[in-house]
Coordinates of all heavy atoms in Angstrom, one line a residue:
M1 N 121.5 167.4 -28.7 CA 121.1 166.6 -27.5 C 122.4 166.1 -26.8 O 123.4 165.8 -27.5 CB 120.3 165.4 -28.0 CG 119.0 165.8 -28.6 SD 117.8 166.4 -27.5 CE 117.4 165.0 -26.5
G2 N 122.3 165.9 -25.5 CA 123.4 165.5 -24.8 C 123.1 164.4 -23.8 O 121.9 164.2 -23.4
W3 N 124.1 163.6 -23.4 CA 124.0 162.6 -22.3 C 124.9 163.1 -21.2 O 126.1 163.4 -21.5 CB 124.3 161.2 -22.8 CG 123.3 160.5 -23.6 CD1 123.2 160.4 -24.9 CD2 122.1 159.8 -23.1 NE1 122.1 159.7 -25.3 CE2 121.4 159.3 -24.2 CE3 121.6 159.6 -21.8 CZ2 120.2 158.6 -24.0 CZ3 120.5 158.9 -21.6 CH2 119.8 158.4 -22.7
F4 N 124.4 163.1 -20.0 CA 125.2 163.4 -18.9 C 125.0 162.2 -17.8 O 124.0 161.5 -18.0 CB 124.7 164.7 -18.2 CG 125.0 165.9 -19.1 CD1 124.3 166.2 -20.2 CD2 126.1 166.8 -18.8 CE1 124.6 167.3 -21.0 CE2 126.4 167.9 -19.6 CZ 125.6 168.1 -20.7
R5 N 125.8 162.2 -16.9 CA 125.7 161.2 -15.8 C 126.1 161.8 -14.5 O 126.9 162.7 -14.4 CB 126.5 159.9 -16.1 CG 128.0 160.1 -16.1 CD 128.7 158.9 -16.6 NE 130.2 159.0 -16.6 CZ 131.0 158.1 -17.1 NH1 130.5 157.0 -17.6 NH2 132.3 158.3 -17.0
Q6 N 125.5 161.2 -13.5 CA 125.8 161.6 -12.1 C 126.0 160.4 -11.2 O 125.0 159.7 -11.0 CB 124.8 162.6 -11.6 CG 125.1 163.2 -10.3 CD 124.2 164.4 -9.9 OE1 123.2 164.6 -10.5 NE2 124.7 165.2 -9.0
A7 N 127.2 160.2 -10.8 CA 127.5 159.1 -9.8 C 127.3 159.6 -8.4 O 127.2 160.8 -8.1 CB 128.9 158.6 -10.0
L8 N 127.1 158.7 -7.5 CA 126.9 159.0 -6.1 C 128.1 159.9 -5.6 O 129.2 159.5 -5.8 CB 126.8 157.7 -5.3 CG 125.5 157.0 -5.3 CD1 125.6 155.7 -4.5 CD2 124.4 157.8 -4.8
G9 N 127.7 161.0 -5.0 CA 128.7 161.8 -4.4 C 129.5 162.7 -5.4 O 130.4 163.4 -5.0
K10 N 129.1 162.7 -6.6 CA 129.8 163.5 -7.7 C 128.8 164.4 -8.4 O 127.6 164.2 -8.3 CB 130.4 162.5 -8.7 CG 131.5 161.6 -8.1 CD 132.2 160.8 -9.2 CE 133.3 160.0 -8.6 NZ 134.0 159.2 -9.7
E11 N 129.4 165.4 -9.0 CA 128.6 166.3 -9.8 C 128.2 165.7 -11.1 O 128.8 164.7 -11.6 CB 129.4 167.6 -10.1 CG 129.8 168.4 -8.8 CD 130.5 169.7 -9.2 OE1 130.8 169.9 -10.4 OE2 130.8 170.4 -8.2
R12 N 127.1 166.2 -11.7 CA 126.7 165.8 -13.0 C 127.8 166.1 -14.0 O 128.2 167.3 -14.0 CB 125.4 166.4 -13.3 CG 124.7 165.8 -14.6 CD 123.3 166.3 -14.7 NE 122.5 165.9 -13.6 CZ 121.1 166.0 -13.5 NH1 120.5 166.6 -14.5 NH2 120.5 165.6 -12.4
E13 N 128.1 165.2 -14.8 CA 129.2 165.4 -15.8 C 128.7 165.1 -17.2 O 127.9 164.2 -17.4 CB 130.4 164.6 -15.4 CG 130.2 163.1 -15.6 CD 131.5 162.3 -15.5 OE1 132.6 162.9 -15.6 OE2 131.5 161.1 -15.3
F14 N 129.3 165.7 -18.1 CA 129.1 165.5 -19.5 C 129.6 164.2 -20.0 O 130.7 163.7 -19.6 CB 129.8 166.6 -20.3 CG 129.8 166.3 -21.8 CD1 128.7 166.5 -22.6 CD2 131.0 165.9 -22.4 CE1 128.8 166.3 -24.0 CE2 131.1 165.7 -23.7 CZ 130.0 165.9 -24.5
V15 N 128.8 163.5 -20.8 CA 129.2 162.2 -21.3 C 129.4 162.3 -22.9 O 130.4 161.9 -23.4 CB 128.2 161.1 -21.0 CG1 128.6 159.8 -21.7 CG2 128.1 160.9 -19.5
A16 N 128.3 162.8 -23.5 CA 128.3 162.8 -25.0 C 127.3 163.8 -25.5 O 126.3 164.1 -24.8 CB 128.1 161.4 -25.6
R17 N 127.5 164.3 -26.7 CA 126.5 165.2 -27.3 C 126.5 164.9 -28.8 O 127.5 164.4 -29.4 CB 126.8 166.6 -27.0 CG 128.1 167.2 -27.6 CD 127.9 167.8 -29.0 NE 127.1 169.1 -29.0 CZ 126.6 169.7 -30.0 NH1 126.9 169.3 -31.2 NH2 125.9 170.8 -29.9
I18 N 125.4 165.3 -29.4 CA 125.3 165.1 -30.8 C 124.6 166.4 -31.4 O 123.6 166.9 -30.7 CB 124.5 163.8 -31.2 CG1 124.5 163.6 -32.7 CG2 123.1 163.8 -30.6 CD1 124.1 162.2 -33.1
G19 N 125.0 166.9 -32.5 CA 124.4 168.1 -33.1 C 123.0 167.8 -33.5 O 122.6 166.7 -33.7
W20 N 122.4 168.9 -33.8 CA 121.0 168.9 -34.2 C 120.7 168.1 -35.5 O 119.7 167.5 -35.6 CB 120.4 170.3 -34.3 CG 120.9 171.1 -35.5 CD1 122.0 171.9 -35.5 CD2 120.4 171.1 -36.8 NE1 122.2 172.4 -36.7 CE2 121.2 172.0 -37.5 CE3 119.2 170.6 -37.4 CZ2 120.9 172.3 -38.9 CZ3 119.0 170.9 -38.7 CH2 119.8 171.7 -39.4
S21 N 121.7 168.1 -36.4 CA 121.5 167.4 -37.6 C 122.1 166.0 -37.6 O 122.2 165.3 -38.6 CB 122.2 168.2 -38.7 OG 123.6 168.4 -38.5
G22 N 122.7 165.6 -36.5 CA 123.2 164.3 -36.3 C 124.7 164.2 -36.4 O 125.3 163.1 -36.1
G23 N 125.4 165.3 -36.7 CA 126.8 165.3 -36.7 C 127.3 166.0 -35.5 O 126.7 166.1 -34.4
N24 N 128.6 166.4 -35.6 CA 129.2 167.2 -34.5 C 129.1 166.5 -33.1 O 128.6 167.0 -32.1 CB 128.6 168.6 -34.4 CG 129.5 169.6 -33.7 OD1 130.7 169.3 -33.5 ND2 128.9 170.7 -33.3
T25 N 129.5 165.2 -33.1 CA 129.5 164.4 -31.9 C 130.7 164.7 -31.1 O 131.8 165.1 -31.6 CB 129.4 162.9 -32.2 OG1 130.5 162.5 -33.0 CG2 128.1 162.6 -32.9
A26 N 130.6 164.5 -29.8 CA 131.7 164.7 -28.9 C 131.5 163.9 -27.6 O 130.4 163.5 -27.3 CB 131.8 166.2 -28.4
Y27 N 132.6 163.5 -27.0 CA 132.6 162.6 -25.9 C 133.6 163.0 -24.8 O 134.6 163.6 -25.1 CB 132.9 161.1 -26.3 CG 132.0 160.6 -27.4 CD1 132.3 160.8 -28.7 CD2 130.9 159.8 -27.0 CE1 131.5 160.2 -29.7 CE2 130.1 159.3 -28.0 CZ 130.4 159.5 -29.3 OH 129.6 159.0 -30.3
T28 N 133.2 162.7 -23.6 CA 134.2 162.9 -22.6 C 135.3 161.9 -22.7 O 135.1 160.8 -23.2 CB 133.6 162.9 -21.2 OG1 134.5 163.4 -20.2 CG2 133.1 161.5 -20.8
D29 N 136.5 162.2 -22.3 CA 137.7 161.3 -22.5 C 137.5 159.9 -22.0 O 137.9 158.9 -22.6 CB 138.9 161.9 -22.0 CG 139.4 163.1 -22.7 OD1 139.0 163.3 -23.9 OD2 140.3 163.9 -22.2
S30 N 136.8 159.8 -20.9 CA 136.7 158.5 -20.2 C 135.8 157.5 -20.9 O 135.9 156.3 -20.6 CB 136.2 158.7 -18.8 OG 134.9 159.3 -18.7

């Protein structure tokens, strides 16, 4: 599962994700 966000005037960007079993998390640097 992932979280993405889209600000006004910007493309949709990756924010965070988590693996199917709850591990393997990742985040955008910001």
Side-chain angles (χ1 to χ4, degrees):
M1 297 290 292
W3 284 98
F4 293 75
R5 66 188 181 187
Q6 188 164 17
L8 283 174
K10 296 184 178 180
E11 296 182 356
R12 189 168 300 187
E13 68 170 344
F14 168 78
V15 176
R17 66 93 68 188
I18 186 167
W20 69 271
S21 63
N24 202 14
T25 57
Y27 302 88
T28 192
D29 287 344
S30 63

